[in-house]
Amino acid sequence: MEYKKKIRSALVSVYDKTGLEPILKLLHSNGVELISTGGTHQFILSLGLPALTVESLTGYPSILDGRVKTLHPAVFGGILARREDTNHKDQLSKYDIREIDLVIVDLYPFAKTVETTSDEAEIIEKIDIGGISLIRGAAKNFEDVLIIPSVEDYPTLKRILSEQDGETTLEQRRRQAARAFAVSSGYDTDIFNWFNRVEGLNELRVKGSNGATLRYGENPHQSGIFFGDLNEIATQLHGKELSYNNLLDIDAALSLINDLDQTSVAIIKHNNACGVATRENLTEAWDAALAGDPVSAFGGVIICNKPVDEATAAHINQLFFEVIVAPDYEKNSLELLKSKKNRIILQLKSFDLGKWQYRSLLNGVLAQTKNDRKESSDNLKCVTEKTPTESEIKDLLFANRLVKHARSNAIVLVKDQQMIGSGVGQTSRVDAVKQAIEKAERFGFDLNGAVLASDAFFPFGDSVEIASAAGITSFIQPGGSVRDVDSIEMCNKKGVSMVFTGTRHFRH
């Protein structure tokens, strides 16, 4: 079998002509016969290059408003014929079909059209049929044909034409076949997901393109790749490359800060908040957030929901941290934060983190809608003799927003819009309570008048008994235990208040 193939003819059918001119000129200089359609053919002629039309091969004009141009045996026969098969060669000769050695396609921009319009008719017309068929056909016959399925593959073709005199190897053709099916499957995924936003079929299609290889995964002995475009969410202004663990913490930070309405700062460590506070200005919010756990904050990820001013930057700069994320930075504050060369500084853009989240496990994938529930005072049901004060309700709602983002079993303590203690990732709820109290007391917080949020119901009254003895005066939890009465009666006995939300916030 002949593994090297000389490109003698090329079918060119592209939507976006960007970067095409030098490719066409290289093809012409290599003596390659050009075949093209519609606007591409006119573009080639405008460069003073010769080209055949697809219509001259098929004997049919483009019909149905351009919906049918290349779908014809005279085209696909020339692409799919096996060159070493004498029967195929005989059929090509019998029907006067040219062999096509190279196919260059750039598909209709379906995804971009969806982003820019809601006009269904316009979106439907951007579903490419001929182009996707050309890609699949050429990729299937990679032993004889080279497929260039996207503008992104032009550099590969340039090297083949410039450095190899238009001669391709089997390895190159096979690799481009893989690229072709990556392009076609991603394109089909975009189309399916657009249809399925309405139809709601229990089918999962996720597209991951242009994966960025990370230094390593969660640990140095693990490999890591990020599939996505972080530039859609933030601009990196300074620092080293983001790591696998940085990305996990940034995701956790964004999810948390999106639930806070006032001027706030959060410090994230291992996907959990170790400090969060809301204040009148950002400097005060930072100072209060750091005070929540100044030990764990070391090496963490900081996120602010307001632009970072110089005064705040001066305070933040005293701490060693990995990443800071904010919507903007004043000039002087940015220069100050850049004083450490490896420190990662991200400027947030307007972004949408999507409705669904996924987790791979066993031999499949779990999918669920994101936990976007945010309780307000209207959702609170007081179940005790004592009712919470107005300031306690404010703190209860704040604590409930925070505990939703902590690993279960989770307890969060709040006082004056500041997280002063947390117990996270515990196998028993009472241990989470003890951990939160111990942590708050270790950093010198007065728990008298503080409130407690639990991500799930209290199965017994012991958590209330321990927390109220430490000074906690009000509790917020979903309720729903068959023994809710135990915790309610303990509250009444201790003279403290409790409200139910009716919504559990597990996070595993």
Side-chain angles (χ1 to χ4, degrees), residues 292-394:
D293 185 348
V295 174
S296 296
F298 184 87
V301 169
I302 300 164
I303 190 163
C304 312
N305 62 0
K306 298 292 188 234
V308 177
D309 56 83
E310 187 175 3
T312 305
H315 284 225
I316 292 174
N317 198 48
Q318 298 173 34
L319 178 77
F320 169 76
F321 61 91
E322 285 269 336
V323 183
I324 184 168
V325 187
D328 203 357
Y329 302 85
E330 291 182 1
K331 182 179 179 181
N332 290 340
S333 68
L334 186 58
E335 294 307 311
L336 187 61
L337 293 171
K338 284 182 176 180
S339 60
K340 304 294 184 182
K341 70 175 184 178
N342 288 330
R343 182 181 283 166
I344 297 166
I345 303 175
L346 298 179
Q347 182 174 348
L348 275 177
K349 300 177 182 177
S350 177
F351 63 93
D352 178 10
L353 288 177
K355 178 182 177 183
W356 288 84
Q357 58 187 180
Y358 308 95
R359 180 179 292 183
S360 62
L361 51 75
L362 301 175
N363 63 345
V365 175
L366 276 177
Q368 68 171 353
T369 55
K370 290 187 175 179
N371 184 2
D372 57 3
R373 181 72 60 86
K374 293 196 290 188
E375 286 77 28
S376 68
S377 56
D378 294 335
N379 303 118
L380 306 184
K381 177 185 177 183
C382 185
V383 293
T384 51
E385 294 169 358
K386 185 176 182 179
T387 59
T389 65
E390 188 174 326
S391 63
E392 284 175 333
I393 289 174
K394 186 178 178 182

Side-chain angles (χ1 to χ4, degrees), residues 256-257 260-267 273-292 303-306 395 398 402 413-420 445:
L256 188 154
I257 209 74
L260 304 181
D261 303 318
Q262 306 303 313
T263 301
S264 303
V265 174
I267 308 168
C274 59
V276 191
T278 289
R279 289 291 184 267
E280 289 297 318
N281 63 67
L282 200 64
T283 304
E284 292 177 358
W286 162 254
D287 290 343
L290 179 63
I303 190 163
C304 312
N305 62 0
K306 298 292 188 234
D395 276 349
F398 184 70
L402 303 187
L413 307 181
V414 164
K415 187 174 182 180
D416 299 327
Q417 301 289 282
Q418 176 189 23
M419 187 174 81
I420 60 173
F445 288 104

Side-chain angles (χ1 to χ4, degrees), residues 411 429 452 454 456-460 463-464 475 477 481 487 498:
I411 296 293
R429 193 151 302 279
L452 180 152
S454 175
F457 62 67
F458 292 116
F460 307 103
S463 292
V464 172
F475 298 78
Q477 59 139 319
S481 169
S487 56
M498 177 179 285

